[in-house]
């Protein structure tokens, strides 16, 4: 039987749409939007984004009455376990109230619901960034009013871990892996038998620095920096999540440019990459302890995983821990399609958001 799956992934400046038959992509497109359009409040973006998706369907001869399921990127919800969830009224209310945060991804499930409503099509999300499977031992900090939270590249991390397990002839729930997603933010997750029991907050500066994020900072020095510059909470969040890392150190988030400079002999660029490699390696080592050394593989993914230079800098620090494999880039659309497919085939149960 052939299942027909529509996949939606809304980002800040674009709308990604793809049509799959079972797990095979038939057609896809990244729909770019104008600066004036994406400058609108998020809820006011719904009409033009919905229209652009409908145009994609019309141009490719895809009728909604033939679609079995619509799989959407998950937005900023309350913490939940990994898996595929049906879009329901509670989820829609939380996504459109922005109580858990405001991002264009919140609109993905809203549009999926709108498209599917008149055709009785199930809308779903799979492994949103708020997946929280942390064990209690890693939540506690040295201040009783502050706990660690789980915000990471859950969709891509879990997809890569599943692919690795399949390569071993096993299920995701049978392996222990450390997954390192290296993109605009860097997250390192300890996956134990299908659950991410420890991971750094890749959004607001926990763990390694990255092209746009500061990473963990010395507490006293950062507190003094905030005090001296009389920063607001919004300004602090902007600095550590959008103006840190490569941008702060080199004035650009372009990793390829910095890498070329390092390879051409620029000492500061080389020092930056060496520091980055050590920070990532230390984070991997931290996850290895949580897994008690029982590691089937260390898996690198994300855009920066294309850099053999960076991977080779990291390897000497971590290859004693286990086999290293690279899955460069991101396969979010494929992962969303496969999440829906697992539900359609009965491999996984559709979860309820409550």
């Amino acid at each position: 039987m052939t299942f027909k799956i529509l996949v939606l992934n809304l980002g800040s400046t674009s709308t990604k749409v793809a049509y799959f038959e079972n797990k095979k992509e038939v057609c896809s497109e990244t729909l770019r939007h104008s600066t004036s359009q994406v400058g609108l409040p998020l809820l006011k973006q719904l009409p033009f984004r919905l229209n652009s998706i409908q145009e994609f369907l019309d141009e490719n001869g895809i009728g909604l009455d033939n679609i079995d399921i619509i799989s959407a990127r998950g937005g900023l919800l309350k913490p939940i376990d990994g898996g595929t969830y049906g879009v329901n009224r509670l989820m829609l209310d939380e996504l459109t109230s922005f109580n858990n945060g405001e991002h264009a991804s919140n609109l993905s499930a809203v549009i999926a619901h709108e498209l599917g409503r008149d055709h009785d099509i199930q809308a779903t999300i799979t492994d949103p960034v708020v997946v929280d499977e942390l064990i209690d031992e890693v939540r506690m900090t040295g201040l009783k009013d502050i706990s660690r939270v789980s915000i990471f590249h859950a969709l891509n991390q879990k997809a890569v871990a599943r692919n690795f397990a399949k390569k071993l002839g096993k299920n995701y729930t049978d392996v222990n892996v450390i997954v390192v997603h290296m993109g605009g933010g860097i997250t390192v997750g300890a996956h134990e038998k299908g659950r991410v029991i420890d991971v750094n907050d890749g959004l607001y500066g926990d763990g390694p620095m990255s092209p746009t994020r500061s990473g963990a900072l010395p507490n006293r020095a950062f507190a003094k920096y905030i005090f001296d510059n009389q920063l607001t909470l919004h300004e602090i969040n902007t600095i550590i999540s959008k103006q840190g890392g490569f941008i702060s150190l080199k004035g650009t988030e372009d990793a390829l440019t910095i890498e070329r400079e390092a390879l051409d002999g620029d000492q500061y660029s080389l020092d930056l990459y060496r520091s980055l490699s050590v920070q990532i390696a230390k984070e991997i080592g931290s996850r290895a302890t949580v897994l008690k050394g029982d590691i089937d593989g260390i898996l690198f993914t994300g855009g920066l995983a294309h850099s053999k230079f960076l991977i080779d800098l990291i390897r000497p620090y971590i290859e004693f821990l286990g086999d290293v494999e690279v899955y460069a880039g991101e396969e979010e659309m494929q992962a969303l399609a496969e999440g829906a497919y697992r539900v359609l085939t009965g491999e996984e149960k559709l979860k309820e958001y409550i």
Side-chain angles (χ1 to χ4, degrees), residues 3-277:
F3 292 110
K4 298 176 180 179
I5 304 168
L6 180 64
V7 178
L8 308 177
N9 183 349
L10 277 66
S12 300
T13 61
S14 67
T15 297
K16 295 179 181 178
V17 194
Y19 169 65
F20 285 76
E21 292 185 350
N22 291 340
K23 295 186 286 184
K24 183 179 179 180
E25 181 184 298
V26 177
C27 57
S28 66
E29 188 173 351
T30 298
L31 309 169
R32 305 289 179 185
H33 306 301
S34 68
T35 302
S36 60
Q37 287 177 315
V38 298
L40 293 171
L42 283 179
L43 292 180
K44 291 189 176 181
Q45 295 182 28
L46 283 169
F48 76 77
R49 289 188 185 257
L50 189 57
N51 287 340
S52 67
I53 293 168
Q54 188 60 60
E55 288 175 3
F56 167 85
L57 295 173
D58 293 343
E59 289 170 3
N60 288 280
I62 302 168
L64 283 171
D65 51 346
N66 292 319
I67 297 294
D68 293 298
I69 196 167
I70 304 175
S71 181
R73 178 183 178 186
L76 295 172
L77 297 161
K78 63 190 175 187
I80 56 176
D81 280 355
T84 297
Y85 290 77
V87 176
N88 59 18
R89 176 46 53 190
L90 175 61
M91 183 185 294
L92 292 170
D93 289 344
E94 292 191 7
L95 289 171
T96 54
S97 68
F98 307 117
N99 288 336
N100 300 295
E102 187 170 346
H103 189 270
S105 60
N106 285 33
L107 302 182
S108 300
V110 178
I111 289 180
H113 173 75
E114 285 294 314
L115 288 170
R117 183 174 53 187
D118 294 338
H119 297 270
D120 197 26
I121 305 170
Q122 176 69 62
T124 64
I125 65 168
T126 297
D127 293 333
V129 294
V130 293
V131 165
D132 186 344
E133 299 166 336
L134 300 182
I135 55 175
D136 291 340
E137 293 88 336
V138 305
R139 293 186 190 276
M140 186 180 292
T141 73
L143 289 178
K144 70 174 184 178
D145 294 327
I146 298 177
S147 297
R148 292 183 63 225
V149 297
S150 174
I151 301 178
F152 71 112
H153 306 89
L155 182 62
N156 200 50
Q157 281 215 19
K158 283 179 172 279
V160 166
R162 285 190 181 96
N163 287 340
F164 175 74
K166 184 177 180 181
K167 179 181 175 181
L168 298 182
K170 298 181 179 181
N171 293 319
Y172 174 45
T173 52
D174 296 328
V175 299
N176 291 346
V177 294
I178 297 172
V179 183
V180 187
H181 181 108
M182 304 190 299
I186 295 175
T187 56
V188 183
H191 297 237
E192 182 182 60
K193 304 294 189 285
R195 296 179 66 80
V196 184
I197 64 171
D198 190 16
V199 67
N200 60 297
D201 175 358
L203 180 57
Y204 288 121
D206 182 23
M209 65 177 168
S210 72
T212 63
R213 288 156 200 174
S214 65
L217 299 167
N219 290 346
R220 186 180 184 281
F222 189 44
K224 185 176 185 302
Y225 180 84
I226 293 169
F227 182 81
D228 289 347
N229 291 280
Q230 298 182 321
L231 300 175
T232 65
L233 179 59
H234 175 73
E235 289 170 333
I236 294 166
N237 286 340
T238 298
I239 287 170
I240 62 178
S241 67
K242 297 179 180 178
Q243 298 175 356
F246 293 3
I247 290 180
S248 176
L249 297 169
K250 285 284 293 182
T252 178
E253 62 182 290
D254 188 346
L256 286 175
T257 296
I258 299 173
E259 181 175 321
R260 280 196 297 267
E261 291 174 353
L263 292 170
D264 288 340
D266 180 73
Q267 190 60 49
Y268 188 70
S269 296
L270 180 58
D271 289 344
L272 188 159
Y273 258 69
R274 284 174 171 166
S275 296
L276 174 63
S277 67

Side-chain angles (χ1 to χ4, degrees), residues 208 276-286 314 317-318 321:
L276 174 63
S277 67
V278 170
Q279 290 181 20
I280 294 171
K282 288 169 66 177
E283 203 72 17
I284 293 168
S286 173
I314 300 170
Y317 296 103
I318 55 96
L321 293 169

